[in-house]
Amino acid sequence: MQLSFDHLVHFVHRPPAEAARLFREAGFHAVTGGRHTHWGTWNSLSYFGLSYVEFLAVEDAAVAGRSDNPLIAQLVAEHELGEGLGQIALRTSEMDRWVERFRALGLKLTGPVDGSRTRDDGKTLRWRMLFAEDPQTARKLPFLIEWQETDEERQADLTQRGIIASHPNGAAELLAVGFAVANLDAAAADWTRWFGLQGGEVFTDERLGARCLSLALPGGSIVLCEPTQPGAAQQALAASGERPFFAKIGAANALPLPHDICGGIYLT
């Protein structure tokens, strides 16, 4: 079934416009998004084709605290962890088929949840989100998203409005997002069972201090990383558990990134 990488959610405590400003200072093209008034959140965005980084923050704590949207509940519950990468979304145009698949696997589902955001020009964006939990494991699944518009319609609209644009630092595409995992073999088996994704050969990344396996997806691969020695993967797993901990972005002329707001996002 159809599946692509959609976006990486970066939880922030500061106003998202401030996060976008810091990202621009690092040479990225980033824009203010908007408000999800029914969830009490707001965001800003940086696109690489149709794959993007979303800076998501609580605007109305009372509304966000009452939300039954699992992503918003995670954002609220993990406030004490500070700012950082929180979750990823995988895009599909076959949401109902994924619902059937997940139910057949015995997963516990929330949704599809309707989402919307009204832009400054008055247009309302609409989408559906599907969240799943696996009773067999405490491992967190990424959520699925299905946009009302087709990929072609969104690409044309976002480009015409200047939301998708070139990055001054040469960033061109989101190549991969890394997930810290405690057990690589078990995690890979789960991702294959959930999504039908087959990994390549296991490899060692000395910079991360981890055994890794890449799961190819259009728009950006998922790299599962099990720590084998002190390093970024071990630090991420100890601090935040199994979750995304880096994003690798291809660039024509890479520039060094400041740690503030860009921690875990690398140009290569």
Side-chain angles (χ1 to χ4, degrees), residues 141-206:
L141 279 75
F143 65 93
L144 301 189
I145 187 166
E146 181 182 61
W147 296 91
Q148 184 180 54
E149 298 175 305
T150 66
D151 285 359
E152 294 74 18
E153 290 170 336
R154 292 182 61 239
Q155 180 92 33
D157 177 64
L158 292 166
T159 302
Q160 188 274 329
R161 295 177 57 243
I163 307 302
I164 294 178
S166 61
H167 298 271
N169 61 12
E173 61 179 325
L174 191 151
L175 299 174
V177 170
F179 246 80
V181 297
N183 184 308
L184 180 60
D185 296 335
D190 280 344
W191 281 71
T192 297
R193 179 165 53 88
W194 298 331
F195 302 114
L197 299 175
Q198 300 295 329
E201 295 293 326
V202 174
F203 62 94
T204 299
D205 190 314
E206 297 292 347

Side-chain angles (χ1 to χ4, degrees), residues 13 16 35-43 56-67 72 75-76:
H13 295 167
R35 290 173 166 83
H36 317 102
T37 55
H38 50 302
W39 294 332
T41 56
W42 51 346
N43 67 4
L56 182 66
V58 171
E59 182 179 32
D60 187 322
V63 174
R66 295 192 300 267
S67 177
I72 309 307
L75 171 65
V76 172

Side-chain angles (χ1 to χ4, degrees), residues 20-45:
R21 181 186 66 78
L22 291 169
F23 218 48
R24 286 194 296 271
E25 289 180 359
F28 293 99
H29 176 71
V31 299
T32 301
R35 290 173 166 83
H36 317 102
T37 55
H38 50 302
W39 294 332
T41 56
W42 51 346
N43 67 4
S44 57
L45 314 162

Side-chain angles (χ1 to χ4, degrees), residues 85-262:
L85 307 182
Q87 190 42 299
I88 65 170
L90 305 181
R91 184 171 69 256
T92 184
S93 60
E94 301 176 292
M95 182 72 82
D96 295 331
R97 293 186 64 191
W98 282 105
V99 170
E100 293 175 2
R101 176 186 176 92
F102 286 170
R103 283 179 176 160
L105 290 173
L107 304 186
K108 179 183 177 182
L109 304 184
T110 300
V113 175
D114 291 330
S116 65
R117 175 170 66 81
T118 301
R119 299 190 320 209
D120 291 340
D121 63 3
K123 179 176 180 178
T124 300
L125 305 178
R126 301 187 187 279
W127 62 87
R128 295 196 296 167
M129 307 162 76
L130 179 65
F131 300 89
E133 299 176 34
D134 191 340
Q136 299 182 36
T137 175
R139 190 163 290 113
K140 184 182 293 292
L141 279 75
F143 65 93
L144 301 189
I145 187 166
E146 181 182 61
W147 296 91
Q148 184 180 54
E149 298 175 305
T150 66
D151 285 359
E152 294 74 18
E153 290 170 336
R154 292 182 61 239
Q155 180 92 33
D157 177 64
L158 292 166
T159 302
Q160 188 274 329
R161 295 177 57 243
I163 307 302
I164 294 178
S166 61
H167 298 271
N169 61 12
E173 61 179 325
L174 191 151
L175 299 174
V177 170
F179 246 80
V181 297
N183 184 308
L184 180 60
D185 296 335
D190 280 344
W191 281 71
T192 297
R193 179 165 53 88
W194 298 331
F195 302 114
L197 299 175
Q198 300 295 329
E201 295 293 326
V202 174
F203 62 94
T204 299
D205 190 314
E206 297 292 347
R207 294 174 302 170
L208 298 175
R211 295 173 63 236
C212 302
L213 180 146
S214 182
L215 304 170
L217 274 174
S221 297
I222 307 299
V223 182
L224 306 178
C225 297
E226 174 192 345
T228 56
Q229 61 188 42
Q234 185 181 84
Q235 292 169 9
L237 190 64
S240 307
E242 296 198 346
R243 63 194 298 129
F245 75 108
F246 76 80
K248 185 182 292 185
I249 296 169
N253 50 339
L255 299 175
L257 299 181
H259 180 76
D260 193 11
I261 221 64
C262 295

